[in-house]
Amino acid sequence: MDKKIRIKDIARMAGVSAGTVDRVLHNRGNVSDDARIAVEKIIEQVDYRPNMHVSSLSLKRRYKIAVTTPQYSSGAYWESIHNGIKHTLDEYENIKVEYHVFTYNQYDIYSCREVFEKISRFEMDALIIGTTFREETIKLCSKMDERQIPYIFVDSSVDECKPLAFFSADHYMVGRLIANLITSITPKGSNIGLLQAVRTGDSSAYTTILRKKGFTDYLSEMKSMNQVLKIPFSVSQPEDNERHLSHFFKNHKNVPGIVVMNSRGSIVSDYLYNNNMDNVKMICMDLTTPNIEAVKKGHIDLLIGQGPEYQGFYAMKTLLEYLIFKKPVTIQNFVQLDIITKETVDYYKSF
Amino acid sequence: MDKKIRIKDIARMAGVSAGTVDRVLHNRGNVSDDARIAVEKIIEQVDYRPNMHVSSLSLKRRYKIAVTTPQYSSGAYWESIHNGIKHTLDEYENIKVEYHVFTYNQYDIYSCREVFEKISRFEMDALIIGTTFREETIKLCSKMDERQIPYIFVDSSVDECKPLAFFSADHYMVGRLIANLITSITPKGSNIGLLQAVRTGDSSAYTTILRKKGFTDYLSEMKSMNQVLKIPFSVSQPEDNERHLSHFFKNHKNVPGIVVMNSRGSIVSDYLYNNNMDNVKMICMDLTTPNIEAVKKGHIDLLIGQGPEYQGFYAMKTLLEYLIFKKPVTIQNFVQLDIITKETVDYYKSF
DNA sequence: CTGTTAGCGCTTTCAT
DNA sequence: ATGAAAGCGCTAACAG
């Protein structure tokens, strides 16, 4: 009865051949208005769900897709996003995609400019953007708009741009979540240490701003009496951090909880461990290799994951489905937030 | 260079035809030892990864797969497992599987016996078992072993059986997790209420036993001074629960935290809400519709998910890959444990 | 036992 | 502009 509809069925119903239906489905042109309208009418009536895997079998076209993110090392956050992207290409192994990676130094705006400049001229069918520098991203995107090249954001979006879609955590909610958790696991009204990344030269890191806003909003809505103490911290000069931390803890003796809203939490948890400060609760972000180790050892109490593999996977999958089938796309895609503890870390599945 | 290996390639390398390779791959017989050995040798050398989606295109065979679980209503735990199973069938839409569901009343051992009896005689290629009654399951499985019908457990496994695989939470770890969380969010040494399901006639519910063991082990290892207070509770006679609960809270005035290790937590959270007991923390299990509602309203603080959709999805997927390709199977598959809060519940993805 | 062939749903080339 | 036909990787029926 409700058997699967195939192209052949549509062709028969519209009184044309399968070739013509295919031409309509893919906007390939060379179709008379009459034929096109007839086919479109049938397509509206029936529930035709093309099978990507079957399509890919005969698809000859090559797709050229560029991906730009900050540089990353093994086990880091951005690597997971790339792994997710690769996973899509693996799942659709028959689709011929040329996949070009452009990475930049996320602590050096000049590096980003240079790379984005190169991307601006690069010939491609679509672009996946992992963004950190706001202004440069806006510039890049306007170039893409001009060239009519679709792009998808991962990790976070930029309001001023018009991406095909974005896949990211709801960073504001991440902040609220962390606030909820840290106030739940520390005594009422505790002082809370908040790691404050010192980013040189750039005012961006919009994600962190959103997270902090969520964090402070939650605290004030709850009328919590917690005092939030900022701990300065530098990613580009890691040698300074030992000093930052010891300075902080010298001045603040009673800090039962610390939250880190970037992925470098293990630096703090290592410090705490090395200095035998084992009753400070820690909530950190992202399942990087060092963070995972710290959770396993009990140095980090709760780790928040933002499904980076998932983000990459769906960004690429959405792109392919859009490119190949013009499949309609949901613009805003907030990913699941994972809360990991020592007990659950071993069972965390990336794929 | 490392181009995808196809059957045709293997055929050429082994000096046989594609048909023969296919016969070897699927143990279809009618292959001389010489040919078989030649093909097997090549297969060991190259990395041949058959494409299920392509296979399914030409697969004519029908697979008859039975699934047995407790009865379930909309939004309940077991429904999610069935949804996961259906999702596999959806993904492999071209594979012809006849899918038979047998449900029994998990609070009535006679119902279970009757259904399992029927399954024992049912003709099928494989079976997925969602188990609650231990002894009847062992009996059913030994029958399956006899008939050489492979079976996979979901939700939990039974040690005495020899399933092809099982997909479940590590229930012992679930108990430890809940213990960690409840002691983290309640003051040190608090009394903790533990819902104790009264199951009539059967000593099983092995999952609950494991969870409780994990829970108490954690507490004693941590030398926590928490006292655990049991709250009797009946699923089969829900009308008694109001009485159970009010009786409990009459006798115990200071219970800052309650944990529920089955999926009926919302019954308690509703009671607490209706009686204005809003500073009792609650940790419950499973993302059933009522539990999700309770989390959204803040009546449940933490909800533990055991990825039932994932369990069902992979159980069926594993089964198909095994039946069709004899793909090697990992027996023990512990699923990811999700911790859900008010902030993250909206972003929880089942699929 | 084994190679050949047709065909699954879809795309693309090639005549018309 | 369009239908027919070939072919993607794989399976299954068929003819030896």
Side-chain angles (χ1 to χ4, degrees):
Chain A
M1 201 89 303
D2 50 349
K3 231 178 102 249
K4 254 228 107 199
I5 299 283
R6 297 148 313 163
I7 283 202
K8 211 199 280 184
D9 300 318
I10 298 175
R12 193 175 21 77
M13 293 161 92
V16 296
S17 75
T20 301
V21 174
D22 186 71
R23 282 181 272 255
V24 172
L25 282 171
H26 297 277
N27 285 351
R28 252 193 262 290
N30 288 335
V31 178
S32 69
D33 282 357
D34 281 1
R36 190 176 43 74
I37 289 165
V39 171
E40 282 169 349
K41 209 159 117 187
I42 301 297
I43 289 181
E44 287 203 0
Q45 288 167 30
V46 302
D47 173 38
Y48 175 61
R49 290 173 298 118
N51 185 324
M52 275 281 269
H53 296 282
V54 175
S55 289
S56 71
L57 202 53
S58 47
L59 219 42
K60 290 237 178 66
R61 183 158 163 17
R62 302 189 83 82
Y63 293 91
K64 206 166 162 185
I65 296 180
V67 180
T68 184
T69 69
Q71 287 149 12
Y72 55 90
S73 51
S74 169
Y77 172 73
W78 287 102
E79 188 189 43
S80 304
I81 291 199
H82 284 273
N83 286 342
I85 292 174
K86 284 185 200 128
H87 194 255
T88 310
L89 300 182
D90 214 56
E91 184 163 321
Y92 296 98
E93 50 182 0
N94 292 313
I95 301 180
K96 290 146 211 62
V97 357
E98 258 178 58
Y99 158 64
H100 294 260
V101 177
F102 295 83
T103 61
Y104 57 89
N105 180 340
Q106 69 177 302
Y107 303 107
D108 176 3
I109 196 165
Y110 298 105
S111 143
C112 175
R113 274 184 199 151
E114 195 183 314
V115 170
F116 279 17
E117 182 64 31
K118 209 180 287 171
I119 297 172
S120 291
R121 310 175 185 300
F122 189 71
E123 196 168 312
M124 65 198 135
D125 295 299
L127 174 64
I128 296 178
I129 307 176
T131 185
T132 39
F133 293 100
R134 185 186 187 71
E135 295 305 326
E136 340 307 303
T137 304
I138 294 174
K139 213 168 126 195
L140 174 62
C141 289
S142 82
K143 197 77 172 203
M144 293 297 114
D145 291 339
E146 219 174 87
R147 294 176 61 192
Q148 306 214 47
I149 295 176
Y151 50 92
I152 291 191
F153 284 121
V154 286
D155 178 66
S156 57
S157 188
V158 174
D159 285 343
E160 286 81 353
C161 302
K162 289 177 186 42
L164 188 63
F166 69 85
F167 292 82
S168 92
D170 179 343
H171 297 289
Y172 177 80
M173 201 54 92
V174 168
R176 295 187 66 98
L177 171 63
I178 292 179
N180 175 356
L181 294 174
I182 195 70
T183 51
S184 296
I185 67 174
T186 53
K188 213 174 161 170
S190 299
N191 288 336
I192 296 169
L194 169 65
L195 212 75
Q196 179 88 16
V198 182
R199 200 180 270 258
T200 42
D202 173 53
S203 58
S204 84
Y206 193 53
T207 63
T208 312
I209 296 173
L210 285 174
R211 289 180 194 159
K212 265 188 212 148
K213 178 141 179 25
F215 187 79
T216 51
D217 280 4
Y218 181 95
L219 294 182
S220 63
E221 280 171 32
M222 292 299 158
K223 299 190 176 39
S224 90
M225 295 288 95
N226 304 272
Q227 214 187 322
V228 179
L229 309 169
K230 303 215 167 126
I231 311 177
F233 174 86
S234 166
V235 186
S236 48
Q237 268 112 29
E239 64 279 11
D240 293 354
N241 288 324
E242 182 86 12
R243 192 167 46 76
H244 286 313
L245 288 166
S246 61
H247 182 258
F248 174 84
F249 286 110
K250 198 166 288 172
N251 292 335
H252 302 279
K253 291 298 176 198
N254 184 24
V255 182
I258 293 181
V259 302
V260 179
M261 295 195 182
N262 58 52
S263 66
R264 309 309 174 106
S266 63
I267 295 178
V268 183
S269 71
D270 284 354
Y271 176 91
L272 294 176
Y273 175 69
N274 292 331
N275 292 274
N276 298 311
M277 301 171 68
D278 57 355
N279 38 24
V280 181
K281 300 273 189 181
M282 284 215 65
I283 300 182
C284 304
M285 293 220 43
D286 298 323
L287 284 95
T288 64
T289 306
N291 282 351
I292 288 174
E293 282 313 302
V295 168
K296 285 189 184 168
K297 291 182 188 145
H299 305 167
I300 290 176
D301 297 276
L302 297 173
L303 199 53
I304 313 297
Q306 35 182 337
E309 300 88 358
Y310 183 96
Q311 292 181 33
F313 178 78
Y314 278 97
M316 183 55 100
K317 181 169 172 152
T318 304
L319 210 44
L320 289 178
E321 289 176 341
Y322 172 76
L323 289 174
I324 297 174
F325 291 118
K326 301 241 166 292
K327 186 173 164 184
V329 165
T330 310
I331 297 181
Q332 174 181 288
N333 301 276
F334 287 129
V335 298
Q336 177 174 339
L337 297 173
D338 295 314
I339 303 172
I340 308 296
T341 73
K342 188 177 183 174
E343 287 77 24
T344 68
V345 66
D346 283 331
Y347 301 130
Y348 183 77
K349 298 275 194 311
S350 38
F351 271 115
Chain B
M1 202 88 306
D2 50 347
K3 230 177 103 249
K4 256 227 107 201
I5 299 283
R6 297 147 316 169
I7 283 200
K8 212 200 278 183
D9 301 319
I10 298 174
R12 191 174 23 76
M13 293 161 92
V16 297
S17 75
T20 301
V21 174
D22 186 70
R23 282 181 273 254
V24 173
L25 283 170
H26 296 276
N27 286 352
R28 252 193 262 290
N30 290 334
V31 178
S32 68
D33 283 355
D34 281 0
R36 189 175 44 71
I37 288 165
V39 170
E40 282 169 348
K41 209 159 117 189
I42 301 295
I43 289 180
E44 286 203 1
Q45 287 167 30
V46 302
D47 172 38
Y48 175 61
R49 289 171 299 118
N51 185 325
M52 276 281 270
H53 296 283
V54 175
S55 289
S56 72
L57 203 52
S58 48
L59 222 41
K60 292 236 179 65
R61 184 159 163 17
R62 302 188 82 83
Y63 293 91
K64 206 164 162 186
I65 295 180
V67 179
T68 182
T69 69
Q71 286 149 12
Y72 56 90
S73 51
S74 170
Y77 172 74
W78 287 103
E79 188 189 41
S80 304
I81 290 198
H82 284 272
N83 286 342
I85 293 173
K86 284 186 200 128
H87 194 254
T88 310
L89 300 181
D90 214 57
E91 183 163 321
Y92 296 96
E93 50 182 1
N94 292 313
I95 301 180
K96 291 146 211 63
V97 358
E98 259 179 58
Y99 156 64
H100 295 260
V101 176
F102 295 84
T103 61
Y104 57 88
N105 181 340
Q106 69 176 302
Y107 303 106
D108 176 3
I109 196 164
Y110 298 104
S111 143
C112 176
R113 273 183 199 152
E114 194 183 315
V115 170
F116 280 15
E117 182 63 33
K118 208 180 289 172
I119 296 173
S120 290
R121 309 175 186 301
F122 189 72
E123 195 169 313
M124 65 199 134
D125 295 297
L127 174 62
I128 295 178
I129 307 176
T131 184
T132 40
F133 293 101
R134 183 185 187 72
E135 294 305 326
E136 340 309 299
T137 303
I138 294 174
K139 211 167 127 195
L140 174 61
C141 289
S142 82
K143 197 78 172 200
M144 292 297 115
D145 292 338
E146 217 175 89
R147 294 177 60 192
Q148 306 214 46
I149 295 175
Y151 50 93
I152 291 189
F153 284 122
V154 286
D155 178 66
S156 58
S157 187
V158 174
D159 285 342
E160 286 81 352
C161 303
K162 287 175 187 42
L164 188 63
F166 69 84
F167 292 82
S168 91
D170 178 344
H171 297 291
Y172 177 79
M173 201 55 90
V174 168
R176 295 188 66 97
L177 171 64
I178 292 178
N180 175 358
L181 294 174
I182 195 69
T183 51
S184 296
I185 66 174
T186 54
K188 215 174 157 167
S190 299
N191 288 335
I192 297 169
L194 169 66
L195 213 75
Q196 179 89 14
V198 183
R199 199 179 271 258
T200 42
D202 173 52
S203 59
S204 84
Y206 193 54
T207 63
T208 312
I209 295 172
L210 284 174
R211 289 179 195 159
K212 263 186 214 149
K213 176 137 181 26
F215 186 80
T216 51
D217 280 3
Y218 182 95
L219 293 183
S220 62
E221 280 171 31
M222 292 299 157
K223 301 189 172 38
S224 89
M225 296 288 95
N226 304 273
Q227 214 186 322
V228 179
L229 308 169
K230 304 219 166 123
I231 310 177
F233 174 88
S234 165
V235 186
S236 49
Q237 267 113 30
E239 63 278 11
D240 293 353
N241 289 323
E242 182 86 13
R243 192 168 47 74
H244 286 312
L245 287 167
S246 60
H247 182 259
F248 175 83
F249 286 109
K250 198 166 290 171
N251 291 335
H252 303 279
K253 290 298 176 197
N254 183 24
V255 181
I258 292 181
V259 302
V260 180
M261 295 195 184
N262 59 50
S263 66
R264 308 311 174 106
S266 63
I267 296 178
V268 183
S269 71
D270 283 354
Y271 175 90
L272 294 177
Y273 174 70
N274 293 332
N275 292 275
N276 299 311
M277 301 171 67
D278 56 356
N279 36 26
V280 181
K281 301 273 189 181
M282 282 216 68
I283 300 181
C284 304
M285 294 222 39
D286 297 324
L287 284 95
T288 64
T289 306
N291 282 351
I292 287 174
E293 282 312 304
V295 168
K296 284 187 184 170
K297 290 181 187 144
H299 304 166
I300 290 177
D301 298 275
L302 297 172
L303 200 53
I304 314 296
Q306 34 182 339
E309 302 88 357
Y310 183 96
Q311 291 180 32
F313 178 78
Y314 277 97
M316 184 53 102
K317 181 169 172 152
T318 303
L319 210 45
L320 290 178
E321 289 176 343
Y322 172 77
L323 289 175
I324 297 174
F325 291 117
K326 301 239 168 291
K327 186 176 163 179
V329 166
T330 309
I331 298 180
Q332 173 180 288
N333 301 276
F334 286 129
V335 299
Q336 176 175 339
L337 298 172
D338 295 312
I339 304 172
I340 307 296
T341 73
K342 189 177 182 175
E343 286 77 24
T344 68
V345 66
D346 284 331
Y347 301 130
Y348 183 77
K349 299 276 193 312
S350 38
F351 272 116

